[in-house]
Amino acid sequence: MTAKMDRIDEAAGNASGRWAFAALIGGNVALSLGAMLVRLADTGPTASAFWRMTIALPLILLFAWRESGGKAPPRPAMLIAAIAGIFFALDLATWHIGILHTKIANATLFGNCASLLLVLWGVFLTRTLPRGWQALAVLLAFAGSALLMGQSYEMSSDYLLGDLLSLLAGVLYTCYVILMQRVRGTLAPWTALGIASVVCVPVLLGTALALGEAIAPRDWTPLILLALTSQVVGQGLMIWSLPRFSPLVLGLTLLIQPAIAALAGWLMFDERLGAVDIFGGMLVGAALVLIRLPSRRAAPI
């Protein structure tokens, strides 16, 4: 009887893990559409980030209220989530500005330098190096990213500012993910995202006004789609998935975004996508399959 119950529990755990990984992939797919929608918005770049958060906020707060039953979360966890919100606001501001000064593939790839930083963070935390399938997944993922970057990047002063801002955004996003992963041990997903979002809104509005950007849009469609895909679906699935995976897995799945963004840039803005780009995207896809396979015990460092 006990053995049967153990098998049932193991099967339930495997099913839960598959759903969690699917949510992580889905969140990254939704987030990968963000750069294209920012390019289509007719407001300033920071203003589009403000509307992304503001339009999504009522829905996020409703979900947060339903999952918490109206109970106030612990203050220490609220403080961490609020600090995470500041990092996220700065990430969005720098990344949205960067999108308008470089190619979509560049902005998304440099903005997702968090993939490498999270892998390094995981190595630092565990004091172990990836081995077996995990090591191969890391090699394939970064080889694919290097191919994507090498093909999409052009040595031009026109792109330098956008690339540097996107790189800074990636560093800020890494801090956001680490803080949100930490707080998710205490806060439910929509509650954590709701607190961070509330903090984001005034920071982004103040930044947009200080930069003299156009705030009110003429066409709301890109902004509504940005809020629903990037914030509600993308961030919602990401935050729900965070405590279920190591920084290594989280980092590698972020590489979905530049692969899909490169395809979107090709289809929507005629940003060339060649055979090498496609091969790089296939390497990233292979890495995502391998990272879910069992690995030999990691080597301590």
Side-chain angles (χ1 to χ4, degrees):
M1 184 69 177
T2 302
K4 182 178 180 181
M5 291 300 296
D6 289 342
R7 288 194 297 271
I8 292 174
D9 290 342
E10 182 180 358
N14 290 338
S16 176
R18 286 193 292 270
W19 278 112
F21 193 66
L24 188 60
I25 297 295
N28 277 285
V29 170
L31 288 169
S32 67
L33 304 176
M36 176 185 68
L37 294 169
V38 170
R39 187 79 68 85
L40 293 173
D42 58 11
T43 63
T46 309
S48 67
F50 161 73
W51 286 117
R52 162 182 170 165
M53 303 302 299
T54 302
I55 294 171
L57 187 57
L59 194 56
I60 291 173
L61 291 180
L62 174 61
F63 292 157
W65 180 79
R66 286 175 61 89
E67 76 179 358
S68 67
K71 297 180 181 178
R75 287 188 178 181
M78 288 181 63
L79 178 60
I80 295 174
I83 295 172
I86 294 173
F87 276 107
F88 191 46
L90 296 175
D91 158 56
L92 288 178
T94 53
W95 188 56
H96 280 213
I97 295 172
I99 288 169
L100 301 186
H101 290 85
T102 189
K103 298 168 69 175
I104 284 180
N106 282 27
T108 310
L109 188 60
F110 285 120
N112 279 281
C113 70
S115 57
L116 173 60
L117 295 177
L118 284 171
V119 169
L120 296 177
W121 176 250
V123 171
F124 172 77
L125 284 180
T126 62
R127 300 291 181 179
T128 58
L129 291 171
R131 290 187 63 185
W133 293 118
Q134 287 189 347
L136 181 58
V138 171
L139 290 175
L140 288 178
F142 290 116
S145 298
L147 290 176
L148 285 169
M149 182 171 63
Q151 287 297 107
S152 66
Y153 184 70
E154 297 178 16
M155 295 298 292
S156 169
S157 59
D158 293 337
Y159 295 149
L160 181 60
L161 175 61
D163 291 344
L164 291 177
L165 287 172
S166 298
L167 191 61
L168 174 59
V171 175
L172 294 167
Y173 188 69
T174 303
C175 297
Y176 165 74
V177 170
I178 291 172
L179 289 171
M180 291 297 273
Q181 189 175 32
R182 177 181 173 185
V183 82
R184 278 286 285 111
T186 305
L187 298 179
W190 291 110
T191 302
L193 187 58
I195 294 169
S197 300
V198 167
V199 172
C200 273
V201 169
V203 175
L204 290 170
L205 178 59
T207 304
L209 291 172
L211 293 175
E213 294 184 3
I215 305 295
R218 293 184 297 275
D219 182 6
W220 286 94
T221 303
L223 296 174
I224 293 173
L225 290 175
L226 180 65
L228 294 178
T229 57
S230 291
Q231 200 56 32
V232 177
V233 177
Q235 285 296 321
L237 291 176
M238 284 285 292
I239 298 304
W240 180 77
S241 304
L242 282 182
R244 293 166 170 82
F245 297 102
S246 68
L248 172 65
V249 176
L250 294 173
L252 292 188
T253 55
L254 287 177
L255 294 173
I256 296 172
Q257 297 184 40
I260 295 180
L263 178 62
W266 179 39
L267 295 175
M268 296 292 296
F269 303 103
D270 198 29
E271 295 179 354
R272 186 173 59 87
L273 185 65
V276 176
D277 298 288
I278 296 172
F279 182 63
M282 291 173 63
L283 290 181
V284 172
L288 295 174
V289 173
L290 290 176
I291 199 62
R292 295 295 293 159
L293 297 178
S295 182
R296 294 190 294 271
R297 187 166 55 91
I301 58 174

